[in-house]
Amino acid sequence: MLPAAEIGKAPAAPCCSESGNERKDVEEKNDINIAALFGNEQVSEDTNNGDLTSYVSAFIEKEVGNDLKSLKKLDKLIEQMTENKMQLEEQVLTISSEIPKRIQSALKNAEESKQFLNQFLEQETHLFSSINSHLLTAQPWMEDLGAMINQIEEIERHLAYLKWISQIEELSDNIQQYLMTNNVPEAASTLVSMVELDIKLQESSCAHLLAFTRATVKFWHKILKDKLTSDFEEVLAQLHWPFITPPQSQTVGLSRPAGAPEIYSNLETLFCQLLKLQTSDELLTEPKQLPEKYCLPASPSVILPIQIMLTPLQKRFRYHFRGNRQTNVISKPEWYLAQVLMWIGNHTQFLDEKIQPILDKVGPSVNARLEFSRGLMMLVLEKLAADIPCLLYDDNLFCHLVDEVLLFERELHSLYGYPSTFANCMHILSEDTCFQRWLTVERKFALQKMDSMLSSEAAWISQYKDITDVDEMKVPDCAETFMTLLLVITDRYKNLPTASRKLQFLELQKDLVDDFRIRLTQVMKEETRASLGFRYCAILNAVNYISTVLADWADNVFFLQLQQAALEVFAENNTLSKLQLGQLASMESSVFDDMINLLERLKHDMLTRQVDHVFREVKDAAKLYKKERLFQNIEEEGKLPNSF
């Protein structure tokens, strides 16, 4: 057993000399062994400070102390320390032997990589010089080859140019041959092929080729169109086209004249041949367009055969309703509007029975009657655009024009099925200057009507006062007339083409409701002293009726659509809070909510006044009743028995 004093001593130095590094390694190993043996982190830390002996002594003191019986633990403690020391030495030896091998392997790999890199650099230098040498050698060849390629491309372009010219000339020769043999259908079909070439060349930069193609198409189109138009007009003349009289009095056209099968066969043939010229006609003819301020919807040109059929009617319209003719009276727009409606009605049956089957055979989804109506409608639009500036500041004439136009539109849509998506008179009335004037005139006449209805002797009398089942709300005449006025205004603007214009009219209606409410309030204040009087009750019934009707209108599809349009406008302009926008979007509120709330508040105030008045009257009567001595008066009159 080792003495306690010797346990903490470092091993003796070997006889052979050691280098500084070896000595340092030995010292580090001893420190590690001691730290592992004593298992104390503080010992490991302080060992570096050279205070190893004191910590060993402290450890022995802790384990053995002054108790001699504790010396029995020394053998076991020495054995455990020796075993730990051997394990640590093995770990150190293992690590010491592996690390140099890894370092050596890494150095070897680095050397090999360096050798490969040097080889690649040498190869790169060789290849670079070889490529430069090859490029210098091939440069003259490349220049010669590039020049040859440019020449080939130039020749190919010239060849393609000549091929296009050859194709056009070939088609032109074919058309000429077909016309010489009077084979008009084939000539028309060949012209269609030429037009297709013209359309394909639109993206080309060959201006002269484009001009040559367009000139050739224009030349043959004019010849074919003139010939077919002449033949078509001749057939129409045999049918006494156009039909100026109503269908009931027409003797030809819908009836079967002599040689009718042949006439209708020629009509169909020429109609189909003219349809083949439709593409070239659209390509060459600039359609008449009204100024952009009228915002007409885009629409294709009227098909060529219908254009020819419309020509005599267009001449008649311009003859009668332009210039100094007696029929061209600016104060009588109903004359030309009625004339157009009559023409549509006169020709509807013929178009449906004779022309529509031809279009159905050809294939395009074209409605003959609507094409005919579109052509006549352009005459009306041109006439309106010319007349409106002349009567814009004459309220009576302008109002009369608007009334007649609205009647015309209603009949055109209801009787003849003219779609509201096509160009119509409402687009002319929606032009900014005209529309603002329309709003002004509408407001002016509405206010005049309100003055008239409120000043009438029957303003506060119900029209159905004697019929309880009809008028449970006891609506006064002025309120019913006012709501009829609003309904008429709605019918007048509901076919406007844009939601923004409809919303402006809606604002006008709301302003009129507010104005009428203010007028009712003023009259009500005059009748406040007689809150149970006839006129006061009539005003209350009027307020209740208007509020109820507006609430019903809020669920109408038309006003729901306006609510959606208003929601989009408010969202774009950020004029409402998110809560208000959410209420509009969820249909919790309506476009009339502001007006309804004001009317309901007025109704509540009026009812409150009536309740207060009734309560005050009952209270006053009760006070008088309280002062009377009822039982004494009855007893004096001998009406009560003595036993009472």
Side-chain angles (χ1 to χ4, degrees):
M1 180 178 298
L2 294 175
E6 293 180 359
I7 292 177
K9 291 182 180 180
C15 298
C16 61
S17 62
E18 293 179 344
S19 64
N21 292 334
E22 291 175 349
R23 188 179 299 109
K24 185 177 180 180
D25 292 340
V26 171
E27 291 175 356
E28 289 177 354
K29 290 179 182 179
N30 290 335
D31 294 342
I32 293 172
N33 292 339
I34 294 170
L37 290 174
F38 293 105
N40 192 328
E41 293 179 359
Q42 189 65 33
V43 171
S44 175
E45 292 175 359
D46 292 340
T47 301
N48 295 329
N49 298 329
D51 200 10
L52 179 62
T53 304
S54 60
Y55 280 102
V56 171
S57 300
F59 176 77
I60 297 298
E61 183 67 22
K62 178 182 177 182
E63 293 294 332
V64 178
N66 298 325
D67 188 5
L68 297 178
K69 295 181 179 180
S70 298
L71 293 176
K72 297 179 180 179
K73 300 179 181 178
L74 288 178
D75 291 338
K76 186 176 181 180
L77 186 62
I78 291 172
E79 182 180 352
Q80 182 179 356
M81 291 180 180
T82 304
E83 184 178 353
N84 290 341
K85 177 183 177 184
M86 292 176 63
Q87 290 178 356
L88 290 173
E89 287 178 348
E90 289 178 0
Q91 291 178 3
V92 170
L93 290 175
T94 301
I95 293 172
S96 300
S97 61
E98 287 181 356
I99 289 175
K101 290 180 181 179
R102 292 180 181 178
I103 294 174
Q104 187 175 3
S105 176
L107 291 173
K108 183 178 180 182
N109 291 336
E111 286 292 334
E112 292 178 354
S113 298
K114 184 178 180 181
Q115 292 177 1
F116 281 123
L117 179 60
N118 291 333
Q119 292 177 3
F120 287 143
L121 290 174
E122 292 176 359
Q123 292 177 4
E124 187 268 341
T125 303
H126 178 69
L127 287 174
F128 182 76
S129 60
S130 300
I131 291 171
N132 285 336
S133 176
H134 181 73
L135 289 175
L136 291 174
T137 305
Q139 184 65 30
W141 299 350
M142 291 173 63
E143 293 177 355
D144 295 341
L145 183 60
M148 293 178 65
I149 290 174
N150 291 334
Q151 292 177 0
I152 292 172
E153 290 177 349
E154 184 71 17
I155 293 171
E156 286 180 346
R157 285 195 295 269
H158 291 167
L159 182 61
Y161 195 95
L162 293 174
K163 284 182 178 179
W164 281 104
I165 295 176
S166 176
Q167 285 182 347
I168 296 168
E169 290 181 342
E170 182 181 355
L171 292 173
S172 180
D173 292 340
N174 291 339
I175 293 174
Q176 184 177 9
Q177 292 177 5
Y178 288 135
L179 289 178
M180 291 175 64
T181 57
N182 202 25
N183 191 351
V184 178
E186 288 298 329
S189 300
T190 307
L191 179 61
V192 173
S193 301
M194 187 182 294
V195 172
E196 292 175 353
L197 292 181
D198 188 303
I199 295 173
K200 289 180 181 179
L201 285 171
Q202 292 304 308
E203 298 180 358
S204 173
S205 59
C206 301
H208 296 292
L209 179 60
L210 287 171
F212 170 72
T213 306
R214 181 60 56 84
T216 307
V217 170
K218 187 175 182 180
F219 174 79
W220 289 118
H221 174 78
K222 185 178 186 305
I223 292 176
L224 286 171
K225 182 179 178 180
D226 291 346
K227 178 176 177 54
L228 291 174
T229 300
S230 177
D231 295 342
F232 191 59
E233 288 176 345
E234 184 178 345
V235 173
L236 291 175
Q238 294 176 9
L239 296 172
H240 293 253
W241 180 274
F243 309 139
I244 305 304
T245 58
Q248 296 81 4
S249 59
Q250 294 174 11
T251 57
V252 188
L254 293 176
S255 60
R256 297 183 61 84
E262 183 180 355
I263 294 175
Y264 288 127
S265 176
N266 293 336
L267 177 70
E268 180 177 351
T269 301
L270 292 170
F271 196 96
C272 294
Q273 291 173 3
L274 284 168
L275 278 177
K276 292 182 179 180
L277 302 183
Q278 181 67 30
T279 306
S280 57
D281 191 71
E282 293 176 354
L283 190 67
L284 300 172
T285 306
E286 282 289 335
K288 283 188 176 181
Q289 296 288 345
L290 290 174
E292 293 183 358
K293 64 180 181 178
Y294 294 111
C295 299
L296 297 180
S299 59
S301 302
V302 177
I303 59 175
L304 185 57
I306 300 294
Q307 290 182 31
I308 298 171
M309 297 172 73
L310 285 168
T311 302
L313 295 175
Q314 291 170 343
K315 291 180 180 179
R316 285 174 177 270
F317 187 91
R318 295 188 177 99
Y319 176 83
H320 287 291
F321 303 113
R322 291 188 182 179
N324 298 324
R325 300 294 173 184
Q326 293 181 353
T327 49
N328 184 26
V329 182
I330 197 169
S331 61
K332 298 293 183 181
E334 62 269 24
W335 287 359
Y336 64 83
L337 295 174
Q339 185 64 70
V340 168
L341 287 175
M342 187 180 70
W343 283 343
I344 294 175
N346 291 349
H347 298 88
T348 294
Q349 188 176 353
F350 178 81
L351 292 169
D352 289 342
E353 295 181 2
K354 304 301 180 183
I355 303 301
Q356 190 61 47
I358 300 174
L359 288 171
D360 294 338
K361 288 181 183 179
V362 174
S365 56
V366 177
N367 188 299
R369 177 159 38 88
L370 292 182
E371 288 292 293
F372 186 79
S373 300
R374 277 208 303 139
L376 291 178
M377 180 57 71
M378 287 306 299
L379 296 173
V380 175
L381 299 184
E382 292 172 2
K383 177 66 174 172
L384 280 176
D387 285 356
I388 285 178
C390 301
L391 47 80
L392 201 57
Y393 298 102
D394 189 320
D395 291 348
N396 293 323
L397 289 181
F398 182 78
C399 188
H400 176 65
L401 173 69
V402 172
D403 290 340
E404 292 298 331
V405 166
L406 293 176
L407 289 173
F408 170 79
E409 284 285 324
R410 187 177 306 164
E411 189 169 350
L412 184 66
H413 293 301
S414 60
L415 292 183
Y416 303 111
Y418 190 82
S420 58
T421 54
F422 286 3
N424 56 64
C425 300
M426 303 305 289
H427 291 93
I428 304 298
L429 295 182
S430 295
E431 189 270 328
D432 191 56
T433 304
C434 179
F435 183 77
Q436 295 304 324
R437 187 61 184 164
W438 184 11
L439 276 177
T440 303
V441 172
E442 201 78 45
R443 185 188 301 274
K444 174 185 175 181
F445 283 101
L447 292 175
Q448 290 179 0
K449 183 68 174 176
M450 289 166 58
D451 292 336
S452 175
M453 69 178 71
L454 288 173
S455 60
S456 172
E457 294 180 358
W460 308 108
I461 301 174
S462 173
Q463 296 180 2
Y464 313 101
K465 60 179 181 178
D466 299 327
I467 310 175
T468 307
D469 296 338
V470 175
D471 189 16
E472 296 180 354
M473 302 180 74
K474 303 297 181 183
V475 182
D477 182 68
C478 63
E480 190 166 359
T481 305
F482 175 71
M483 295 312 293
T484 303
L485 173 65
L486 292 184
L487 187 61
V488 169
I489 292 175
T490 302
D491 290 336
R492 290 162 70 83
Y493 79 82
K494 70 187 307 181
N495 290 322
L496 283 169
T498 60
S500 60
R501 296 304 192 198
K502 295 177 184 177
L503 288 173
Q504 287 179 269
F505 256 103
L506 178 64
E507 288 301 317
L508 170 62
Q509 288 180 304
K510 293 166 70 173
D511 290 344
L512 293 176
V513 172
D514 195 48
D515 187 272
F516 194 73
R517 178 188 62 83
I518 293 173
R519 292 172 186 241
L520 291 178
T521 304
Q522 292 172 349
V523 179
M524 180 268 295
K525 289 181 179 179
E526 297 174 0
E527 303 293 330
T528 303
R529 294 181 180 179
S531 56
L532 295 180
F534 169 75
R535 181 172 290 190
Y536 191 93
C537 292
I539 295 171
L540 179 58
N541 290 340
V543 172
N544 180 59
Y545 174 70
I546 296 172
S547 176
T548 303
V549 173
L550 290 179
D552 291 340
W553 284 4
D555 295 328
N556 185 278
V557 175
F558 174 72
F559 289 108
L560 289 176
Q561 292 172 346
L562 284 188
Q563 180 174 339
Q564 180 62 31
L567 177 65
E568 296 173 0
V569 173
F570 293 148
E572 290 177 1
N573 300 334
N574 294 324
T575 54
L576 292 180
S577 65
K578 292 184 178 180
L579 176 60
Q580 291 172 317
L581 289 176
Q583 290 174 342
L584 276 175
S586 62
M587 301 301 174
E588 293 180 7
S589 60
S590 69
V591 291
F592 295 112
D593 268 8
D594 294 340
M595 297 298 100
I596 294 174
N597 292 336
L598 292 173
L599 290 168
E600 288 295 324
R601 187 182 304 170
L602 176 59
K603 183 175 74 171
H604 180 267
D605 292 343
M606 294 182 70
L607 287 173
T608 302
R609 284 193 180 93
Q610 285 187 327
V611 170
D612 292 342
H613 180 78
V614 172
F615 183 75
R616 189 164 51 252
E617 284 190 349
V618 172
K619 187 175 180 181
D620 293 341
K623 287 180 180 178
L624 295 175
Y625 181 78
K626 181 180 179 181
K627 293 179 181 179
E628 294 182 1
R629 301 176 65 183
L630 177 61
F631 294 107
Q632 181 179 356
N633 294 337
I634 294 175
E635 186 175 347
E636 290 175 355
E637 294 175 2
K639 293 182 180 180
L640 290 176
N642 294 330
S643 60
F644 179 64

